[in-house]
Amino acid sequence: MKKLMVAVVVLLLSGASVYAQSCCSSKVKTEVEKKGCCCGQKKIVEAASAVEENVKYVVFKADQMRCGGCAGKVTKTLKANEGVKDVNITLEDKHVKVAYDPEKTDVKGLLKEFAKIEYKVEVLEQ
């Protein structure tokens, strides 16, 4: 469900501003900027932007990760955490980039997820 909501927000964010510009005439442009588009698209864009502001990123190095099965195990474990929004793994350099909601989890919480599968990781970027 979360993935679906994120996908909808991304789609709306990518196309909503274009639609708002095309559906509103130049005469009402000032009103649109003040109140929002007549079709409500500007409000959707603002809501999507607010959602994106609540996302933080951290990059871990997981030396134990050697194959696609390992990457799948790490992804599944991290995504089980309610605060995790997305996981991107680069197997070649063993990097795990995690997008998370700081109101629901933090780096310490993510480290606990790695500990559940007995992975020792290093924080590279926060």
Side-chain angles (χ1 to χ4, degrees), residues 1-118:
M1 183 72 172
K2 285 183 190 178
K3 288 181 185 179
L4 178 61
M5 289 174 41
V6 170
V8 169
V9 169
V10 169
L11 288 172
L12 290 173
L13 183 60
S14 64
S17 61
V18 174
Y19 185 73
Q21 290 171 354
S22 65
C23 73
C24 300
S25 69
S26 59
K27 291 180 183 179
V28 295
K29 187 174 182 180
T30 305
E31 289 301 310
V32 168
E33 289 171 356
K34 287 180 188 175
K35 298 179 184 174
C37 183
C38 55
C39 59
Q41 295 297 319
K42 185 172 180 183
K43 291 178 184 179
I44 292 170
V45 171
E46 289 169 355
S49 297
V51 169
E52 287 299 316
E53 290 174 11
N54 292 330
V55 175
K56 286 193 174 186
Y57 298 89
V58 61
V59 178
F60 298 98
K61 178 148 182 146
D63 285 325
Q64 292 169 268
M65 201 170 48
R66 301 190 195 294
C67 66
C70 297
K73 182 178 182 178
V74 168
T75 301
K76 182 178 178 181
T77 300
L78 290 172
K79 286 190 173 184
N81 183 310
E82 183 183 343
V84 173
K85 301 291 183 188
D86 194 26
V87 177
N88 290 304
I89 293 178
T90 308
L91 201 52
E92 296 80 36
D93 52 11
K94 302 178 183 193
H95 288 183
V96 180
K97 183 175 181 181
V98 181
Y100 66 95
D101 181 343
E103 293 178 9
K104 295 182 179 177
T105 194
D106 57 11
V107 174
K108 232 182 218 185
L110 297 173
L111 289 169
K112 287 179 184 176
E113 297 296 335
F114 280 107
K116 287 179 186 176
I117 56 171
E118 299 179 355

